[in-house]
Amino acid sequence: MKKIISPILSIALFTTLILLFLIHFQRVDAQSIYKCDNEKHICYKNSDGKTIVKSKKYTIAFTDTITSIGFVGNRKGKIIGIDNHGKELFEVYKIDNGPDCVSDGLFRIIGKNGKVGFADTCGVIVIPPVFSYATPFLDGEAKVTFEGEEQKQGEYQYWESNQWFLITSPNLLDHSMNEMATSTKFDTPTLTTEEKHKVKELAAQAPDSIKTCFSFLLYKWNYAITHNREMLLSSNTYSYSKLPEFHYLKSMGKQIIPLIMEQLIEPSNFHLLVLYEAVQEDSRKIVKDHTGGEQNRAIMNVKRWLGSK
């Protein structure tokens, strides 16, 4: 007689298999690997004795136990950061023939472009390698430059530049923002489904030629923002208006306002507020200040604009 598995039993079996898979995946992802003795290769094994890293290209291991990130040296004299699965993450800045020291939770890395950036102890790049040189973070600040050259004085080397400036540690900024969020409560505005639908409906009424041109110029502007080192370090979105791509968008005038509003539905696009203020001729339709931050101000501007329709 043919057995039939009930739907409830099938769901239970499926759920059990998924849970077992997730437990196994979490266990593998959280594994630690340990340096083992091998005269021919740099070798790391996990707690089960399985070899995770075995390569002739590494000549020295700076880390005995790797839980999240470890450091090894290759035959080219570079120090490489690897994770607990043996994956190479990035080149690590070298100091005294060893990896850069961790300071304020960060250490320096070298990009493929030869520039300097910063990563944390989990192996996450928190500041992209864009600087010609950078000092370690100390008390939340690092001294960086986009120009200059390396100088030697006896056995010592140093970087000479006429344009140094300070940057703040992202860890410090995150801590400050968390403190602000817990100590201050704001009324967070939200858009209803009907409001979002109305915005999209109004944006859809724009001529296809306008929508195509706007999309292209917006792409160019966003690309310029993320690939301009001055913009990369600026926390003031009004500085984005200095880019030539912004002026091309601005020249399209108030006809692109519905398209801007459609973008502002997503709070992460709050930098378009700069563009909205530039093309909106009626100042009464602009919310210029909001204690909840720029993302909330973006939503408030959408609401005010809709209210005028």
Side-chain angles (χ1 to χ4, degrees):
M1 182 177 179
K2 188 176 180 180
K3 293 184 179 180
I4 300 176
I5 300 177
S6 70
I8 295 177
L9 182 58
S10 298
I11 293 172
L13 288 171
F14 178 75
T15 304
T16 302
L17 288 172
I18 292 295
L19 287 172
L20 288 172
F21 171 78
L22 290 174
I23 291 170
H24 173 72
F25 177 80
Q26 186 177 31
R27 179 171 173 266
V28 170
D29 190 60
Q31 73 175 346
S32 292
I33 57 176
Y34 310 91
K35 186 176 72 172
C36 53
D37 294 328
N38 190 314
E39 295 180 359
K40 297 181 179 180
H41 311 289
I42 295 299
C43 176
Y44 282 91
K45 294 183 178 182
N46 63 16
S47 57
D48 296 327
K50 181 181 178 181
T51 300
I52 305 299
V53 178
K54 183 179 180 181
S55 177
K56 293 182 179 180
K57 65 181 178 181
Y58 301 136
T59 59
I60 185 171
F62 296 96
T63 311
D64 291 333
T65 302
I66 300 176
T67 301
S68 54
I69 184 174
F71 306 112
V72 293
N74 65 19
R75 295 187 181 279
K76 295 181 180 180
K78 296 180 179 180
I79 298 176
I80 307 298
I82 61 173
D83 66 13
N84 57 352
H85 300 290
K87 178 183 177 182
E88 293 190 355
L89 303 174
F90 38 66
E91 181 184 348
V92 180
Y93 186 86
K94 185 189 293 186
I95 181 168
D96 294 332
N97 294 319
D100 193 36
C101 297
V102 176
S103 181
D104 282 5
L106 303 173
F107 59 90
R108 290 170 290 181
I109 62 172
I110 305 294
K112 293 181 180 179
N113 55 4
K115 302 295 185 180
V116 181
F118 290 87
D120 64 18
T121 52
C122 292
V124 177
I125 298 175
V126 295
I127 299 178
V130 295
F131 305 110
S132 295
Y133 185 77
T135 66
F137 275 98
L138 180 63
D139 296 329
E141 291 184 330
K143 191 177 176 182
V144 299
T145 182
F146 286 123
E147 55 95 63
E149 58 184 13
E150 188 178 69
Q151 302 289 342
K152 292 185 178 181
Q153 186 173 8
E155 298 179 356
Y156 300 98
Q157 299 174 340
Y158 64 95
W159 196 270
E160 189 173 273
S161 172
N162 294 321
Q163 296 183 3
W164 293 98
F165 59 98
L166 295 174
I167 59 172
T168 304
S169 168
N171 293 343
L172 187 64
L173 289 175
D174 290 344
H175 179 69
S176 299
M177 291 301 291
N178 288 336
E179 284 188 339
M180 185 183 296
T182 54
S183 62
T184 309
K185 293 184 178 180
F186 302 111
D187 293 329
T188 304
T190 57
L191 291 169
T192 65
T193 302
E194 291 75 15
E195 287 174 325
K196 292 180 181 179
H197 179 74
K198 182 64 176 177
V199 171
K200 291 181 179 180
E201 188 179 78
L202 292 169
Q205 295 175 11
D208 289 341
S209 59
I210 297 299
K211 287 188 284 188
T212 301
C213 185
F214 174 79
S215 296
F216 175 73
L217 291 177
L218 180 60
Y219 165 77
K220 297 286 286 184
W221 186 41
N222 285 334
Y223 183 88
I225 291 170
T226 55
H227 288 75
N228 182 292
R229 62 188 185 187
E230 182 182 347
M231 301 300 112
L232 185 67
L233 297 171
S234 176
S235 59
N236 183 2
T237 55
Y238 285 94
S239 64
Y240 302 164
S241 63
K242 298 177 183 178
L243 294 167
E245 292 80 3
F246 172 84
H247 296 287
Y248 297 143
L249 278 166
K250 181 182 174 182
S251 67
M252 295 187 72
K254 62 181 181 180
Q255 62 184 337
I256 63 172
I257 289 178
L259 302 175
I260 295 173
M261 291 295 120
E262 186 178 30
Q263 293 292 319
L264 289 177
I265 288 176
E266 175 53 54
S268 62
N269 290 328
F270 65 87
H271 65 286
L272 268 78
L273 282 171
V274 181
L275 180 60
Y276 174 60
E277 292 175 3
V279 298
Q280 177 56 267
E281 298 173 353
D282 188 348
S283 60
R284 294 172 299 177
K285 296 180 182 178
I286 300 175
V287 178
K288 294 185 177 180
D289 297 295
H290 192 277
T291 53
E294 289 295 270
Q295 292 187 349
N296 287 347
R297 190 166 77 89
I299 299 301
M300 292 303 296
N301 271 283
V302 175
K303 284 181 171 291
R304 181 171 293 187
W305 177 75
L306 277 176
S308 67
K309 295 298 172 183

